[in-house]
Amino acid sequence: MGNASHFALFDLKPDFRLDLEGLAARYRERVRRVHPDRFAGASEREQRLALEESAQLNEAYQTLRSPSQRARYLLALQGEQMHQETTVQDPAFLMQQMELREELQELQEGADLGGLAAFKRRLGQAQEQLNEGFAACWADPLRRDEAERLARRMQFLDKLSAEVRQLEERLDD
Amino acid sequence: MALLQIAEPGQSPQPHQRRLAVGIDLGTTNSLVAALRSSLAESLADADGEVILPSAVRYRADGLVEVGRRAKAVAAGDPLNTVLSVKRLMGRGIADLTLLGKQLPYRFVEGESHMPFLDTVQGPKSPVEVSAEILRVLRRRAEEALGGELVGAVITVPAYFDEAQRQATKDAARLAGLNVLRLLNEPTAAAVAYGLDRRAEGVVAVYDLGGGTFDISILRLTQGVFEVLATGGDSALGGDDFDHAIANWIVEQAGLSADLDPGTQRHLLQLACAAKEALSESGSVALACGPWQGELSREHFDALIEPLVARSLKACRRALRDAEIELEDISAVVMVGGSTRVPRVRQAVAELFDRPPLTDIDPDQVVAIGAALQADTLAGNGRDGEELLLLDVNPLSLGLETMGGLMEKVIPRNTTLPVARAQDFTTYKDGQTAMLIHVLQGERELVKDCRSLARFELRGIPPMVAGAAKIRVTFQVDADGLLGVSARELGSGVEASVQVKPSYGLTDGEIARMLKDSFEHAGGDKAARMLRELQVEAQRLLEAVQTALEVDGEALLSSEERVAIEAQMQALRDALEAQDGAVIELHTRRLAQVTDTFAARRMDASVKAALAGRRLNEIEE
């Protein structure tokens, strides 16, 4: 299990730029062939293999369709461990994330749904920017540090998106 | 548990012959079985033409087990031995039962696995055994209707069912001698029922409002693959709450005191339920309770239930957010559950999604029908490449206990199944040679707020300094949502694994005993069993007719009619004395025939009375 890369499972070359619709179509075509439902009457061994194969396929699909997970996976494929540093070494971003969190706090206190929608849009744009930046630098070994920094920023914005969703839920009464 | 697998006699592949498979909706209140017949999926009826089997099981002192309408009808008279809504007990521990409300009428005893057993006149029965009785009846019904043994069944479970509840359902099927092709989430099944007919592509919302629970699922159908994007709901919201809303309104209007005796309470709820159903058809309904008479308009009813409807819509919006789907992306809304017959519910759902919901398949049958379609495919009857593939998600996050009593999530909720995921841990003491793995399910941070699924130990780790050992714990969830966990120390290769048996599941010993019991129960002399069944049926009818005569004989029968019925009753009693199966059957049928008109008149009278708001027990006692 886990010998072929996530990209190879879909006959794709490792790349950050990815046609998500195309990826989804390839996923459906493959999962259809290996899903345990296709082996409901088969031997225990075949059933186990089907389970393992489709689990692997699901894992690969989940990883690749999320930009931040895809970015980390690409860096891992390059063989080096990502540095375990935090955003403390990225002071500009640290400032920005503190501001974003404060803003989110204010939106919560003001129960400001309109403001939240605008915040979400800005968050989306920021994520888009990071994606662009990462796409431009990840393949260049000399810009590895920059790529790692961007990958970490992506992860942070992912978490922030999750918090926005939770806030939306609290405000939806 | 592999040792206990039952080989299915029907499983040897026979080419060119349709392999019989059914879909079963094992519901809280009612259960159904459906199958594909001449390329149409339909619910299968019992000998009386009834499709719905009330999920009621009664253990009688004479060793017989009654399932369905008859058991439900006598529930009030024999509460300790009659089990209703057993689904709510599935996969629950004794400790959970207190959360289910105080008024469970059963006596519980603890089994070796801390699972609650119901203390009945036939001894302790686990919820799994009770469910198996229901499944057994449905299996027999299907085998009779389809004329052969079943290859297997797809059994539906609520999307929010956790690991323990799923395992319990599977165990019940096994006890009933059913080969489970797949546990399918109810909303997915409903979507299948519509999806196959329509060959549609797009995002489907399934709005499932049952008697006691509400469920919302968002699915995407593309190129024959159904992906569940998110599920959510409210496990304490259902049509019963509508009844309560009406009942409370009556109490207020009639100026009744708030603490009513249980009898009046139940009467009020029956009245409320009838009013609710009538309001689906008409604009207003007349009500009477004691000296008070009043009228409830549909408009007012709508206002009464508005907060409840709003709660369901809120859960819909949450599911949409989880699925990262905008309202305008939804291309179809499917309605499931009897409570979606309420016009205000349909209207509110239509407004939220800005489109009329699909209601053309009976909301009580749509789940079983979808399950039947999938069962047929899984049994191998599908045309290659045409089958629908269903990708479910795990409804709750799975994880492990880490230092400080925290839950570390390994597989977050709404992850597509099947899934395998590994997480590495290490030792925290020098020379540590064993590690306790505690498997949890839930969304909360603290272990104490999550559900404990299993604990097991990885032993034989070579002694090392703290933090040097690398222990990889792998979670694997199969397509049914059942979990296996294994742990391995990477340096030495020491390994341990469990097929997670939920802490509140049955032990293998208990399952073995139940299987043995059920074989003994089912394996007896066939003729003797048939005679017993005929006797039960005859006695049941005699009792029913006797009661009906006492209550309504005077009012609804002429004296000649009454004499004819009484003569036929005596003939049947004589036949019972003689213990001859064929004669009993003949006279049972005759008695049923001569009482047909009487039964119809009683039905009429009780409907009229209910609509007129008279006390039901004036007629039924």
Side-chain angles (χ1 to χ4, degrees):
Chain A
M1 207 174 128
N3 292 329
S5 92
H6 289 348
F7 289 98
L9 279 179
F10 298 102
D11 284 322
L12 292 168
K13 286 208 166 53
D15 196 347
F16 184 72
R17 289 202 171 92
L18 203 56
D19 165 19
L20 286 179
E21 287 292 315
L23 175 70
R26 283 165 193 245
Y27 166 71
R28 282 191 292 268
E29 183 258 320
R30 281 161 177 72
V31 77
R32 197 177 247 299
R33 275 186 278 143
V34 300
H35 194 273
D37 277 1
R38 292 297 303 270
F39 301 89
S43 72
E44 212 168 293
R45 198 186 103 84
E46 282 177 290
Q47 290 190 2
R48 203 189 62 238
L49 283 176
L51 176 64
E52 283 172 5
E53 271 186 74
S54 27
Q56 195 185 355
L57 197 64
N58 281 335
E59 184 67 24
Y61 180 50
Q62 299 294 339
T63 307
L64 294 190
R65 74 177 176 178
S66 145
S68 76
Q69 286 186 47
R70 185 164 73 237
R72 293 195 139 235
Y73 183 71
L74 278 169
L75 293 178
L77 275 186
Q78 289 175 334
E80 279 174 72
Q81 285 266 331
M82 247 176 83
H83 295 101
Q84 288 295 323
E85 58 186 324
T86 60
T87 40
V88 176
Q89 272 129 322
D90 188 355
F93 188 59
L94 189 64
M95 268 319 281
Q96 196 194 350
Q97 66 163 282
M98 279 170 59
E99 282 167 16
L100 286 170
R101 280 194 190 286
E102 266 169 36
E103 203 176 328
L104 197 59
Q105 187 66 35
E106 278 165 25
L107 289 169
Q108 173 171 3
E109 280 156 16
D112 180 357
L113 276 172
L116 194 60
F119 186 81
K120 252 169 82 176
R121 272 196 301 280
R122 268 180 28 232
L123 196 57
Q125 284 159 2
Q127 284 174 316
E128 208 41 58
Q129 252 176 23
L130 286 180
N131 292 349
E132 289 300 317
F134 187 85
C137 72
W138 74 272
D140 184 349
L142 298 175
R143 296 171 75 185
R144 167 88 188 187
D145 285 348
E146 188 185 349
E148 285 194 13
R149 195 164 60 237
L150 291 171
R152 268 190 298 273
R153 288 181 174 190
M154 284 181 189
Q155 210 177 4
F156 169 75
L157 291 190
D158 265 8
K159 274 193 206 133
L160 200 61
S161 304
E163 282 169 39
V164 169
R165 264 216 299 283
Q166 282 168 4
L167 178 56
E168 275 183 310
E169 200 167 313
R170 282 197 297 273
L171 293 183
D172 183 14
D173 266 318
Chain B
M1 292 217 232
L3 282 174
L4 292 160
Q5 272 176 357
I6 309 168
E8 273 294 304
Q11 222 166 16
S12 57
Q14 287 173 304
H16 311 306
Q17 200 185 340
R18 196 160 198 90
R19 292 150 59 84
L20 303 178
V22 294
I24 293 178
D25 176 359
L26 184 60
T28 306
T29 322
N30 294 312
S31 297
L32 291 95
V33 60
L36 212 65
R37 298 166 102 177
S38 50
S39 82
L40 269 181
E42 60 177 24
S43 304
L44 305 176
D46 64 10
D48 298 331
E50 295 284 346
V51 161
I52 284 172
L53 177 73
S55 303
V57 177
R58 179 186 177 205
Y59 293 95
R60 293 178 20 159
D62 61 6
L64 292 173
V65 181
E66 286 174 336
V67 179
R69 257 164 296 148
R70 172 68 183 156
K72 188 181 173 186
V74 299
D78 189 13
L80 292 178
N81 300 309
T82 312
V83 190
L84 300 175
S85 302
V86 67
K87 190 170 178 177
R88 293 167 63 205
L89 305 177
M90 291 288 272
R92 298 294 186 179
I94 292 246
D96 296 327
L97 295 181
T98 48
L99 303 173
L100 291 173
K102 327 110 240 168
Q103 68 275 55
L104 288 169
Y106 316 117
R107 279 190 306 250
F108 289 105
V109 287
E110 200 162 329
E112 66 183 87
S113 56
H114 309 289
M115 199 193 202
F117 280 67
L118 299 142
D119 192 13
T120 75
V121 66
Q122 289 187 28
K125 299 287 175 189
S126 74
V128 168
E129 283 170 285
V130 178
S131 296
E133 294 293 349
I134 299 169
L135 290 171
R136 216 171 268 139
V137 170
L138 293 174
R139 190 190 75 169
R140 253 185 258 136
R141 181 193 291 186
E143 284 175 346
E144 269 162 36
L146 302 173
E149 283 204 44
L150 302 180
V151 168
V154 166
I155 299 179
T156 59
V157 290
Y160 60 80
F161 249 27
D162 66 24
E163 164 77 22
Q165 293 166 305
R166 282 166 200 267
Q167 188 63 60
T169 306
K170 228 177 168 177
D171 287 344
R174 206 152 49 134
L175 269 181
L178 280 166
N179 173 38
V180 179
L181 296 168
R182 175 79 128 57
L183 294 180
L184 190 58
N185 285 337
E186 287 161 8
T188 313
V192 169
Y194 279 103
L196 271 187
D197 288 349
R198 280 154 210 274
R199 296 244 147 258
E201 300 235 323
V203 182
V204 182
V206 181
Y207 181 101
D208 179 354
L209 189 60
T213 58
F214 170 67
D215 230 334
I216 173 78
S217 294
I218 312 292
L219 303 97
R220 179 188 281 128
L221 175 58
T222 331
Q223 297 160 332
V225 177
F226 244 127
E227 282 168 85
V228 179
L229 301 179
T231 70
D234 190 328
S235 57
L237 173 65
D240 298 349
D241 298 307
F242 294 180
D243 300 349
H244 282 283
I246 297 180
N248 290 340
W249 178 78
I250 297 175
V251 167
E252 221 170 80
Q253 296 294 307
L256 300 173
S257 78
D259 44 289
L260 299 165
D261 63 276
T264 316
Q265 191 99 36
R266 215 181 45 232
H267 169 63
L268 263 176
L269 285 175
Q270 279 174 348
L271 198 66
C273 183
K276 172 186 74 179
E277 286 171 16
L279 283 171
S280 290
E281 304 299 328
S282 55
S284 74
V285 63
L287 289 164
C289 185
W292 175 82
Q293 297 204 334
E295 188 175 283
L296 179 60
S297 68
R298 186 188 283 175
E299 217 179 1
H300 199 91
F301 169 60
D302 290 352
L304 290 177
I305 62 171
E306 197 51 40
L308 301 165
V309 174
R311 250 165 75 195
S312 79
L313 298 184
K314 188 181 165 197
C316 291
R317 290 192 290 271
R318 190 189 310 135
L320 285 167
R321 278 193 296 274
D322 274 359
E324 296 182 44
I325 287 286
E326 300 296 327
L327 271 167
E328 52 270 25
D329 298 333
I330 299 283
S331 53
V333 185
V334 169
M335 298 296 251
V336 185
S339 306
T340 60
R341 291 199 175 90
V342 173
R344 175 61 197 140
V345 170
R346 290 189 176 183
Q347 186 198 0
V349 171
E351 279 166 11
L352 175 68
F353 292 100
D354 197 23
R355 67 181 55 248
L358 299 173
T359 52
D360 30 319
I361 303 181
D362 183 335
D364 288 322
Q365 298 186 27
V366 60
V367 166
I369 285 175
L373 290 168
Q374 190 59 15
D376 191 66
T377 303
L378 293 183
N381 296 324
R383 290 136 302 183
D384 238 8
E386 287 276 301
E387 321 81 349
L388 204 60
L389 180 65
L390 307 180
L391 300 173
D392 270 333
V393 297
N394 66 325
L396 298 162
S397 301
L398 294 162
L400 290 171
E401 173 168 354
T402 60
M403 293 291 289
L406 291 178
M407 146 87 151
E408 165 91 8
K409 283 178 191 167
V410 179
I411 302 178
R413 81 183 146 128
N414 287 328
T415 301
T416 306
L417 302 180
V419 59
R421 205 159 281 176
Q423 192 112 325
D424 291 343
F425 294 86
T426 189
T427 47
Y428 67 97
K429 268 200 301 212
D430 287 346
Q432 187 178 341
T433 59
M435 188 176 214
L436 181 71
I437 315 273
H438 186 193
V439 185
L440 300 159
Q441 183 168 44
E443 308 310 317
R444 309 279 294 275
E445 303 263 297
L446 296 179
V447 168
K448 67 177 177 56
D449 296 324
C450 292
R451 184 174 182 80
S452 166
L453 291 180
R455 291 168 202 267
F456 68 101
E457 250 179 46
L458 177 67
R459 292 172 184 277
I461 302 170
M464 286 178 250
V465 292
K470 196 170 178 192
I471 289 127
R472 175 158 297 172
V473 181
T474 305
F475 278 56
Q476 181 173 277
V477 185
D478 67 15
D480 290 331
L482 298 177
L483 171 70
V485 181
S486 61
R488 198 155 80 99
E489 201 286 303
L490 295 179
S492 59
V494 172
E495 205 158 338
S497 72
V498 282
Q499 183 64 41
V500 167
K501 210 169 301 142
S503 306
Y504 294 126
L506 296 165
T507 64
D508 275 355
E510 283 168 337
I511 293 207
R513 177 188 60 75
M514 287 176 200
L515 279 174
K516 201 167 132 269
D517 286 356
S518 77
F519 284 140
E520 278 167 8
H521 183 65
D525 181 1
K526 216 170 177 181
R529 197 172 88 221
M530 191 128 82
L531 176 62
R532 229 164 36 160
E533 281 171 5
L534 289 168
Q535 285 167 334
V536 171
E537 178 63 20
Q539 254 141 12
R540 182 191 73 79
L541 187 61
L542 279 172
E543 278 169 40
V545 173
Q546 187 60 46
T547 317
L549 280 179
E550 281 161 20
V551 179
D552 285 328
E554 200 82 88
L556 299 176
L557 290 175
S558 71
S559 56
E560 294 94 286
E561 285 171 327
R562 183 166 188 146
V563 168
I565 289 173
E566 274 166 354
Q568 188 53 49
M569 287 173 80
Q570 194 49 50
L572 182 52
R573 281 195 200 103
D574 294 343
L576 276 171
E577 287 276 351
Q579 304 226 339
D580 182 335
V583 183
I584 294 173
E585 193 178 15
L586 176 76
H587 286 291
T588 304
R589 209 175 321 128
R590 285 206 183 141
L591 181 57
Q593 277 161 4
V594 301
T595 53
D596 248 351
T597 330
F598 182 33
R601 283 182 205 155
R602 296 192 77 220
M603 184 71 81
D604 265 4
S606 97
V607 168
K608 273 188 202 132
L611 290 182
R614 273 175 63 201
R615 294 174 65 94
L616 277 170
N617 54 9
E618 281 176 21
I619 296 154
E620 287 193 344
E621 212 58 59

